[in-house]
Amino acid sequence: MLTAQQLVECYRRMRRIRRFEESAQELYLAGKIPGACHCSIGQEAAIVGACMALRDDDYITGTHRSHGHPIGKGAKLNALMAELMGRVTGICKGRGGSMHLADGGVGILGESAIVGGGIPLAAGAALSAVVRGTHQVSLAFFGDGASNQGTFHETLNMAAVWKLPVIFFCENNGYAITTSVANSHGQPDIAKRASGYGIPGIIVDGQDVSAVYAATDTAVQRARAMEGPTLIEAKTYRFDEHQVGLNIIGEPYRSAAEIEGYRAHRDPCELIRPAMRCAGVGAEELLEIEREVEADVASAILFAETSPFPSQNDVYQNMYVNPINYPPSPGVLA
């Protein structure tokens, strides 16, 4: 169960994701963020609830919807916003952009536009932790669409056989771009696929941060005890389009009533408030958190806008760890 202090931190991180991404949308539409921009607005509780159950040195991998995961894990906003704007002060020196954030300081191995690409990487990190004896766990965030990728099944099977300390966390927002789960999954409850690999599969309300935390905490404890992986399916919902500025041509794939219903009744930033009141957190403290978040995001935007772009002279830097020392060709003296 989350303490009052933990609930406050959950709310802070959820509000940071929400305000950061609202600002990112505005900046993207103003032409200040290049490439593509995918937001997690509506999915904050799933992200934060999962990350709150992890240690600072635990690993996560993510998706193209990549801003929420670093913020949920505790990353600073300045370098994240600078990365979105392609500035040299970005967390990846402006080379990754919105879909490819990584932050080793908070255990983020990388986010990727490759659907399901982070799933095997998380298993590899878990194997590394076992070999090194560090008692770290790894958590892979992925969407419902990724659960139909071959790498999902291959990795779950290997992780189950080797009892790796990894949590497979599906943010099931109901749609893979515009294709609904009902039209793409023979079994709409993704967590039930866990039984095929002999591991626990848990379905949780992804809009309830406390429920997500409880489910993930149980999976983390199991992983640290070397009892193997867990598949968690958080039923959540993205309030906005798959991508900022995406115009769907033809018949709408979801109704305005559906979207507004979630906004009005299933907003995770609102659903957490009763639990906070019960824990003794007052309205003024909530307002103070919101003012703090507003100031942090504004500061991050200013930092990013006043940071330089990378130099063309540095285009080949950071592409290789070390030069490859090839052996001399036959007949050539070393």
Side-chain angles (χ1 to χ4, degrees):
M1 185 174 180
L2 290 166
T3 65
Q5 185 177 0
Q6 287 175 315
L7 283 167
V8 167
E9 183 59 25
C10 283
Y11 187 70
R12 178 179 290 108
R13 295 188 189 190
M14 289 164 63
R15 292 301 310 180
R16 281 162 71 87
I17 294 171
R18 177 70 58 91
R19 191 69 197 101
F20 182 95
E21 295 202 317
E22 287 172 345
S23 296
Q25 290 178 338
E26 296 166 5
L27 292 164
Y28 180 81
L29 293 174
K32 295 184 177 182
I33 292 177
C37 184
H38 304 78
C39 293
S40 302
I41 294 173
Q43 301 181 204
E44 296 93 344
I47 295 167
V48 172
C51 288
M52 285 291 292
L54 301 173
R55 294 190 327 211
D56 290 346
D57 66 338
D58 286 334
Y59 299 114
I60 69 170
T61 61
T63 69
H64 58 280
R65 203 173 302 285
S66 66
H67 323 135
H69 304 133
I71 299 172
K73 192 69 161 58
K76 305 298 184 184
L77 300 187
N78 282 11
L80 293 179
M81 187 63 78
E83 184 61 35
L84 266 62
M85 291 194 192
R87 307 305 173 105
V88 74
T89 53
I91 195 64
C92 299
K93 303 185 186 300
R95 296 163 182 260
S98 171
M99 293 193 289
H100 304 95
L101 299 177
D103 188 348
V106 290
I108 300 174
L109 299 175
E111 315 246 18
S112 176
I114 300 172
V115 177
I119 297 174
L121 298 183
L127 176 59
S128 169
V130 172
V131 171
R132 292 179 291 114
T134 59
H135 301 288
Q136 293 164 287
V137 305
S138 182
L139 185 147
F141 285 107
F142 57 94
D144 46 277
S147 68
N148 283 336
Q149 294 283 77
T151 190
F152 167 86
H153 299 279
E154 294 157 5
T155 305
L156 260 68
N157 185 62
M158 186 184 75
V161 170
W162 289 355
K163 294 190 179 300
L164 296 181
V166 57
I167 296 100
F168 300 104
F169 192 98
C170 179
E171 296 175 78
N172 184 356
N173 63 24
Y175 297 93
I177 307 183
T178 61
T179 304
S180 70
V181 167
N183 290 330
S184 59
H185 293 64
Q187 169 49 263
D189 291 330
I190 292 163
K192 291 182 179 179
R193 301 185 185 191
S195 63
Y197 304 102
I199 64 175
I202 301 169
I203 297 174
V204 65
D205 179 359
Q207 308 306 88
D208 182 342
V209 70
S210 296
V212 174
Y213 170 82
T216 310
D217 186 53
T218 298
V220 167
Q221 292 182 40
R222 184 172 182 274
R224 290 206 207 282
M226 293 306 298
E227 295 174 4
T230 301
L231 172 60
I232 298 174
E233 178 187 3
K235 304 277 193 182
T236 185
Y237 196 82
R238 57 172 164 83
F239 290 174
D240 299 310
E241 268 307 335
H242 166 74
Q243 177 184 323
V244 179
L246 180 66
N247 295 316
I248 305 301
I249 300 173
E251 194 72 23
Y253 64 97
R254 55 181 186 170
S255 68
E258 176 184 305
I259 299 168
E260 289 309 310
Y262 272 91
R263 285 187 180 275
H265 305 295
R266 302 290 292 150
D267 185 338
C269 292
E270 296 300 322
L271 292 175
I272 190 177
R273 288 175 179 265
M276 296 181 75
R277 284 196 296 269
C278 289
V281 181
E284 184 55 39
E285 188 170 357
L286 291 177
L287 286 173
E288 182 57 34
I289 292 170
E290 291 163 12
R291 286 192 288 263
E292 170 197 312
V293 168
E294 189 72 32
D296 286 348
V297 173
S299 177
I301 294 171
L302 179 62
F303 174 82
E305 289 184 325
T306 55
S307 294
F309 289 100
S311 168
Q312 291 185 6
N313 296 329
D314 299 333
V315 68
Y316 293 112
Q317 286 189 8
N318 306 302
M319 292 184 68
Y320 308 100
V321 176
N322 288 306
I324 299 174
N325 296 314
Y326 291 102
S329 298
V332 177
L333 294 176

